[in-house]
Amino acid sequence: DGGITQSPKYLFRKEGQNVTLSCEQNLNHDAMYWYRQDPGQGLRLIYYSQIVNDFQKGDIAEGYSVSREKKESFPLTVTSAQKNPTAFYLCASSIESGVGNTEAFFGQGTRLTVV
Amino acid sequence: EDKVVQSPLSLVVHEGDTVTLNCSYEVTNFRSLLWYKQEKKAPTFLFMLTSSGIEKKSGRLSSILDKKELSSILNITATQTGDSAIYLCAVVWYGNKLVFGAGTILRVKS
């Protein structure tokens, strides 16, 4: 079945550690995104990538890093520089239709907690 | 700065009421506007709007885009407790940048 897989579902990080969240899609989508969601709030864009080996910062990129070495994969590293990393992280991917319309598909999310 | 603003931020209604959620945007190179419903984890897709004035409908939900006013509304008629969720609006920019608003938290009381 085609879809987006995020792992792990739950992740605990100690202060000062870097952790990497995985996002894999087999939808053959070009664009991939990482969002952060805090309780009771909407989604804030961290990074996005339109093609392999290219990515752009979103609104809250500080303390995060990404790579896009393969079309299927867009891992997010939460570095020790991110002072408040406890949140729900969602990965999404999208494809343009022939008329330039885009719908995003989401993974099930990773809940990161700093302990 | 490109941004997406949703209102109200939260809303409490009774079953059977009709609600209207708003989404406005300030962007360059607008491509489309998307509505999502988020209950627990991943948002689920509701509508994609690209053309002004054409209503999209799915059951009790409907949505319309006004490109002149740079806004969209999502209507839910005869609300049910199962409609309780966060409703997210997102705008796609040229180049596939997909930016979400803060969401509207809807609670439907029985």
Side-chain angles (χ1 to χ4, degrees):
Chain A
D1 279 44
I4 303 178
T5 303
Q6 285 186 243
S7 62
K9 279 188 179 178
Y10 300 95
L11 185 58
F12 297 89
R13 189 195 98 168
K14 290 184 180 178
E15 299 260 1
Q17 270 186 339
N18 291 359
V19 291
T20 297
L21 283 59
S22 169
C23 179
E24 305 277 331
Q25 54 99 357
N26 60 3
L27 301 165
N28 200 33
H29 286 175
D30 290 312
M32 295 187 75
Y33 314 82
W34 273 107
Y35 296 92
R36 169 183 172 139
Q37 187 173 34
D38 293 284
Q41 297 187 29
L43 308 182
R44 291 186 290 167
L45 182 63
I46 305 173
Y47 269 99
Y48 67 108
S49 168
Q50 297 172 55
I51 56 171
V52 174
N53 292 323
D54 187 46
F55 48 82
Q56 287 80 41
K57 291 182 179 180
D59 301 316
I60 55 164
E62 186 174 348
Y64 299 98
S65 65
V66 293
S67 62
R68 187 86 187 276
E69 296 175 3
K70 298 186 299 180
K71 190 175 186 178
E72 304 79 26
S73 179
F74 191 41
L76 174 74
T77 297
V78 184
T79 74
S80 56
Q82 171 48 243
K83 297 305 175 192
N84 185 23
T86 295
F88 186 58
Y89 291 86
L90 278 165
C91 177
S93 69
S94 68
I95 189 169
E96 278 192 42
S97 72
V99 291
N101 299 329
T102 304
E103 177 193 335
F105 296 81
F106 287 86
Q108 289 301 303
T110 294
R111 189 166 298 282
L112 173 64
T113 304
V114 173
V115 296
Chain B
E1 182 185 332
D2 298 327
K3 61 180 179 180
V4 179
V5 177
Q6 291 186 245
S7 63
L9 289 181
S10 66
L11 190 56
V12 180
V13 300
H14 288 95
E15 273 193 313
D17 288 349
T18 293
V19 298
T20 298
L21 310 183
N22 299 283
C23 177
S24 64
Y25 57 92
E26 295 177 18
V27 308
T28 52
N29 298 313
F30 170 90
R31 304 202 71 172
S32 60
L33 185 144
L34 312 173
W35 283 99
Y36 286 83
K37 177 182 181 183
Q38 185 181 26
E39 292 176 88
K40 288 191 178 173
K41 291 191 174 178
T44 54
F45 174 76
L46 295 175
F47 298 110
M48 181 191 316
L49 306 163
T50 54
S51 301
S52 210
I54 298 174
E55 185 183 53
K56 294 224 172 169
K57 207 167 164 57
S58 176
R60 297 177 293 101
L61 276 67
S62 63
S63 185
I64 195 162
L65 176 67
D66 186 338
K67 282 187 177 179
K68 189 175 174 186
E69 295 296 324
L70 305 184
S71 66
S72 172
I73 59 170
L74 174 69
N75 281 320
I76 309 174
T77 59
T79 51
Q80 302 170 359
T81 54
D83 295 326
S84 297
I86 300 176
Y87 289 85
L88 297 164
C89 166
V91 174
V92 184
W93 271 242
Y94 178 78
N96 274 354
K97 184 180 179 183
L98 178 65
V99 177
F100 283 81
T104 293
I105 301 171
L106 174 64
R107 183 177 160 218
V108 181
K109 296 167 74 171
S110 56

